[in-house]
């Protein structure tokens, strides 16, 4: 019975608390699918738990009572809400109605005010319009009166040739006539406009007739000085159609230069290039004569003096081009350069005297001032053409002189010489060929330059002479033309840069007795006899360094020469200037010089390495100081490297290249000779390990060996030495390791050397002195223990066939060497 009552109570409680959609809750009583039986079973899982059923029922009834109280309170609180809302809505509606009424009253008052203002200002607007129309009418009538009177006066003054008064009056009439442009439909206004145009035409024809009478086209007789009538006529021409002004200028200049065309006809002796100075002297006299006689007749803004000079230049260019085509075979280099020099000097004089404002689009145009250049070729090209070009690192930090603005008259006459500049180009080709031959002869006669260790090596003086001559030619040619002749001159420069590189630089490098592979009959005979390989002398080492420094200087200067040529040439031809091939040639000379230095030092160390491989290392009983062969290698390094370093002080990067190439050559060779040391005892391996460490320390100190100033070796060089010599040390450590048990030995080899080549492993076994039977089992075990190659990578053996290792290459050379020795 108690459980039944409890179930009913729980169901009622669940109905009261089902507000899950509004207030989410985790209480089982709030769930929509509430099951009273399951909940009771949860509260009373066992019969013993029924003992406190009364207490649970009381708690549930108390909860129901509280819920009823809450519901009752909420319901009562909502009783008056509807009535209060309706009251607030009615009050808001009343307030809106009152506000709407006030707004309507304000709008009505504003409309009344606007209507009142319109009535007040209506009369004022009418008065304003009347005033504006009256003022316009009065102004128009005044202009009409002025126009009518001005036209009458203009016609009368034109008949009387009163040009002074006409000049001022005509400009005023034209200005007044512009005000009547919108009244041209009125017959009287159109008639006045036609009278003005007729007066202008009559003035133009009359002024041209006056000038024709004063300066007749036929004959050379001219009045002693200008007249005031013609001076005033020029002022009138300024107001008339511009064609009248151009016609006056054209006729006057043509008459002024008529004498020039007679004196310097093509068949006259003074017309040839050797007397070109007389042309320019004549125009100078004529300009002075013009200033004295006619300077005040023409307005200053007409620039008549400059116009005469410009027309003289056009005529001279045409006449010179014609006579040079006729007598082309008589043109020589000296005569051509003389004429060009005198012409460019005259063009420079024009630039100082005139501004170039009369130059038309059909002639030479002004160019914009380019930005400052950082090219070391940029100097005072007119005064320092023969100065030596010096390339220094500090030059790049100095402020460069900006390029002088181009002469607006440049080429106005000298353009006619451009088709004949092939004579100049051929002459420069011949001169440069003779210059290169002289350099070769001087080098043979004087010998190599004296060593200059204090200044970081000597650069061949011929290289500076060559580039000074190049600069002189470039400046001279750019003054003559910036078109195709500059391209032709660039081709000549390229030709003799290559010749200088091969004849002067590569041709004078000392010759070695051994080739790049280090194997000739002479070297084999000397090695067989036990004598040392021939080394370069001190002078020869200095010569190689000097040629290297010269090539480096030529490389940098050639790059600057290319930049300067691109500045001088026309923009459309800039892409055709390319000295990359010549720069590559000097780079080859540098590379060959470094290779010679490396081969010399490498060959000097060969006897010591050969002595190392011939020692009986299995008979070494104790470990002492470094071996004699190490001392010999160190001695050769201390003899050569300081000389090379001091002579390459100005080109430090190439000394670093020398060190890197020597390390890449010496270390593999040392490792190959290590493999020849067989068999080796434990003590012998320890001695070799000590020697290897000594060589490693010497190589690390190679860049600063024998120097008072100790510098840290470049990281790239240090990395090569550490990697190569560490491999040599690992080889010796593997040799020192016991070969029993074999698995440990093989794993130790793979761990230390990380070399999967069976040839290298075979050499290690030979160094340990193992028998062939032991080596065979070791090789089988080695192949089994090799780590599997990653997927996608071919077999190691196939890689070794396509790219032989240095050890394999050395093995092939040794076999060939043995074969030749046997035949000898």
């Amino acid at each position: 019975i108690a459980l039944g009552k409890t179930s009913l109570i729980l169901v009622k409680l669940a109905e009261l608390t089902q507000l899950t959609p509004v207030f989410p809750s985790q209480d089982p009583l709030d769930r929509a699918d509430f099951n009273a039986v399951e909940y009771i079973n949860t509260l009373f899982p066992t019969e013993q738990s029924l003992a406190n059923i009364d207490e649970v029922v009381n708690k549930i009834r108390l909860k129901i009572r509280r819920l009823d109280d809450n519901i009752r309170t909420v319901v009562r609180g909502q009783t008056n809400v509807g009535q209060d809302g309706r009251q607030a809505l009615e009050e808001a509606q009343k307030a809106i109605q009152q506000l709407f009424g006030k707004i309507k009253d304000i709008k009505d008052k504003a409309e009344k005010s606007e209507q009142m203002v319109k009535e007040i200002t209506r009369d004022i607007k009418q008065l304003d319009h009347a005033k504006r129309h009256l003022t316009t009418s009065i102004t128009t009538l005044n202009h009409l009166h002025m126009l009518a009177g001005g036209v009458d006066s203009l016609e009368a003054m034109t008949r009387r040739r009163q040009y002074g008064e006409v000049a001022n009056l005509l400009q005023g009439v034209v200005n007044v006539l512009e005000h009547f442009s919108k009244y041209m439909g009125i017959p009287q206004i159109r008639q006045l406009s036609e009278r003005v145009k007729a007066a202008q035409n009559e003035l133009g024809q009359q002024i041209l007739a006056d000038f024709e009478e004063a300066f007749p086209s036929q004959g050379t007789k001219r009045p002693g000085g200008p007249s005031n009538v013609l001076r005033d006529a020029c002022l009138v021409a300024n107001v008339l159609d511009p064609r009248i002004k151009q016609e006056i200028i054209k006729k006057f200049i043509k008459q002024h230069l008529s004498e020039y065309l007679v004196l310097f006809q093509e068949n006259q002796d003074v017309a040839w290039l050797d007397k070109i100075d007389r042309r320019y002297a004549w125009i100078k006299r004529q300009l002075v004569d013009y200033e004295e006689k006619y300077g005040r007749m023409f307005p200053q803004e007409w620039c008549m003096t400059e116009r005469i000079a410009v027309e003289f230049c056009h005529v001279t260019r045409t006449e010179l081009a014609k006579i040079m085509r006729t007598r082309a075979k008589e043109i020589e280099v000296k005569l051509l350069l003389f004429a060009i020099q005198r012409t460019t000097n005259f063009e420079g004089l024009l630039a100082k005297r005139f501004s170039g404002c009369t130059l038309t689009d059909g002639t030479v145009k002004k160019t914009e001032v380019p930005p400052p250049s950082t090219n070391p070729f940029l100097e005072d090209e007119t005064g320092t053409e023969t100065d030596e070009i010096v390339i220094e690192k500090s030059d790049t930090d100095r402020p460069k002189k900006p390029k002088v603005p181009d002469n607006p008259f440049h080429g106005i006459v000298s353009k006619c010489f451009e088709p004949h500049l092939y004579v100049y180009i051929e002459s420069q080709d011949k001169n440069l060929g003779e210059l290169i031959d002289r350099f070769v002869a001087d080098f043979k006669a004087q010998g190599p330059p004296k060593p200059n260790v204090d200044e970081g090596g000597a650069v061949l003086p011929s290289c500076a002479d060559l580039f000074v001559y190049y600069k002189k030619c470039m400046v001279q040619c750019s003054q003559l033309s910036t078109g195709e002749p500059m391209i032709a001159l660039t081709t000549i420069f390229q030709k003799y840069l290559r010749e200088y590189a091969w004849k002067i630089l590569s041709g004078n490098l000392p010759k070695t007795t051994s080739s790049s592979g280090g194997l000739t009959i002479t070297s084999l005979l000397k090695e067989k006899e036990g004598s040392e390989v021939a080394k370069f002398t001190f002078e020869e080492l200095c010569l190689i360094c000097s040629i290297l420094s010269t090539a480096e200087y030529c490389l940098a200067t050639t790059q600057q020469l290319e930049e300067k040529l691109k500045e001088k040439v026309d923009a459309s031809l800039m892409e055709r200037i390319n000295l990359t091939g010549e720069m590559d040639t000097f780079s080859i000379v540098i590379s060959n010089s470094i290779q010679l230095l490396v081969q010399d030092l490498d060959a000097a160390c060969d006897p010591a390495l050969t002595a190392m491989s011939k020692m009986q290392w299995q008979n070494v009983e104790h470990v002492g100081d470094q071996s004699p062969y190490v001392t010999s290698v160190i001695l050769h390094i201390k003899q050569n490297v300081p000389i090379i370093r001091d002579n390459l002080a100005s080109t430090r990067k190439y000394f670093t290249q020398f060190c890197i190439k020597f390390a890449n050559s010496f270390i593999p060779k040392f490792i190959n000779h290590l493999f020849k040391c067989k068999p080796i005892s434990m003590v012998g391996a320890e001695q070799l390990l000590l020697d290897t460490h000594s060589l490693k320390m010497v190589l690390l100190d190679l860049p600063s060996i024998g120097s008072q100033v100790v510098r840290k070796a470049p990281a790239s060089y240090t990395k090569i030495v550490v990697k190569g010599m560490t491999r040599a040390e690992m080889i010796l450590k593997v040799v020192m390791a016991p070969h029993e048990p074999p698995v440990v030995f093989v794993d130790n080899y793979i761990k230390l050397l990380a070399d999967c080549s069976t040839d290298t492993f075979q050499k290690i076994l030979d160094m340990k002195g193992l028998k062939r039977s032991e080596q065979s089992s070791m090789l089988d075990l080695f192949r089994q223990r090799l780590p599997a190659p990653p997927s996608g990578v071919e077999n190691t053996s196939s890689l070794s066939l396509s790219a032989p290792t240095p050890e394999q290459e050395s093995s092939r050379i040794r076999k060939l060497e043995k074969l030749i020795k046997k035949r000898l």
Side-chain angles (χ1 to χ4, degrees), residues 7 89 100 171 313 500 581 591 706 763:
S7 176
L89 179 61
F100 181 75
Q171 184 63 52
C313 292
Y500 184 85
S591 179
K763 294 174 182 178

Side-chain angles (χ1 to χ4, degrees), residues 789-796 799:
S791 59
V793 179
E794 297 180 0
N795 194 6
T796 308
L799 291 176

Side-chain angles (χ1 to χ4, degrees), residues 132-152:
R132 187 182 308 112
H133 295 158
L134 184 60
T135 303
T136 304
S137 300
I138 294 173
T139 305
T140 304
L141 289 174
N142 288 334
H143 286 166
L144 182 59
H145 176 72
M146 293 169 58
L147 179 61
V151 171
D152 294 337

Side-chain angles (χ1 to χ4, degrees), residues 184-203:
M184 287 300 171
I186 301 174
Q188 291 80 0
I189 301 299
R190 185 168 59 252
Q191 183 181 3
L192 288 174
S193 175
E194 292 174 355
R195 289 175 61 187
V196 171
K197 291 181 180 178
Q200 288 177 326
N201 293 333
E202 184 181 354
L203 276 171

Side-chain angles (χ1 to χ4, degrees), residues 83-103:
Q83 184 178 357
D84 294 340
R86 285 191 295 271
Q87 184 177 355
L89 179 61
E90 292 175 357
E91 292 177 356
Q93 290 175 347
K94 291 179 180 179
I96 292 172
Q97 290 177 356
Q98 293 176 0
L99 180 60
F100 181 75
K102 292 180 179 179
I103 293 173

Side-chain angles (χ1 to χ4, degrees), residues 447-462:
K450 295 181 180 180
N452 193 1
V453 178
D454 294 336
E455 297 183 4
V459 176
L460 299 181
S462 59

